[in-house]
Amino acid sequence: NAGVTQTPKFRILKIGQSMTLQCAQDMNHNYMYWYRQDPGMGLKLIYYSVGAGITDKGEVPNGYNVSRSTTEDFPLRLELAAPSQTSVYFCASTLDGSGSYEQYFGPGTRLTVT
Amino acid sequence: AQSVTQPDIHITVSEGASLELRCNYSYGATPYLFWYVQSPGQGLQLLLKYFSGDTLVQGIKGFEAEFKRSQSSFNLRKPSVHWSDAAEYFCAAVKAAGNKLTFGGGTRVLVKP
């Protein structure tokens, strides 16, 4: 199993540009999450999904969009990049109903908006 | 509001010395509690978790954590640190039967030779 994979690893965007951060998992997990990590702030939840076709906002959803057309993939879209979106983005997944509650994390995408 | 607090932003410890990282939570009822470690440039890896029962839980890499309900704390310990323990450590919580983790701000551990 590859686990949770994210692409790209690094990206520099200009203000106003758009991009999609890709996330995929091969563990057949139903729950998937997107977090952003800013220094000293821990991880903040952006969006999450409880299954294909179902998404919901987290703590900091403004400026982002998501979709979940398959169990495996959960892309995060930035439409009009702003400097405040400079951060490290992590995707995670878990299997609800397993009793574990352990979330498995991808390696992250470091995004800089200038 | 639910929250998780890690009071120490940075901790420096000598190799071979003991380590304790603090974590406090504020929830209506006792949540499920977790410690994750993030090595430089990596994602997060679960060290250990507490749901109920024995208040001293053992994890991977020689770490343990103690749950204290009276202090709303879940502190992480290691008796003797290795240089490879230099990383950032996150405490996290989720309410029972919930599905959204709340993370603390993290504690960065530096290990001196």
Side-chain angles (χ1 to χ4, degrees), chain B residues 33-82:
Chain B
L33 295 158
F34 306 81
W35 275 100
Y36 282 85
V37 61
Q38 183 183 28
S39 298
Q42 304 295 314
L44 278 70
Q45 180 185 20
L46 182 69
L47 285 174
L48 48 77
K49 59 190 177 187
Y50 172 79
F51 290 175
S52 64
D54 193 347
T55 57
L56 187 64
V57 294
Q58 302 297 321
I60 62 171
K61 304 183 186 228
F63 284 92
E64 66 179 24
E66 185 173 14
F67 169 70
K68 292 186 177 179
R69 185 188 306 275
S70 61
Q71 297 178 19
S72 297
S73 69
F74 187 55
N75 293 350
L76 181 72
R77 299 195 292 251
K78 185 168 184 177
S80 176
V81 299
H82 186 262

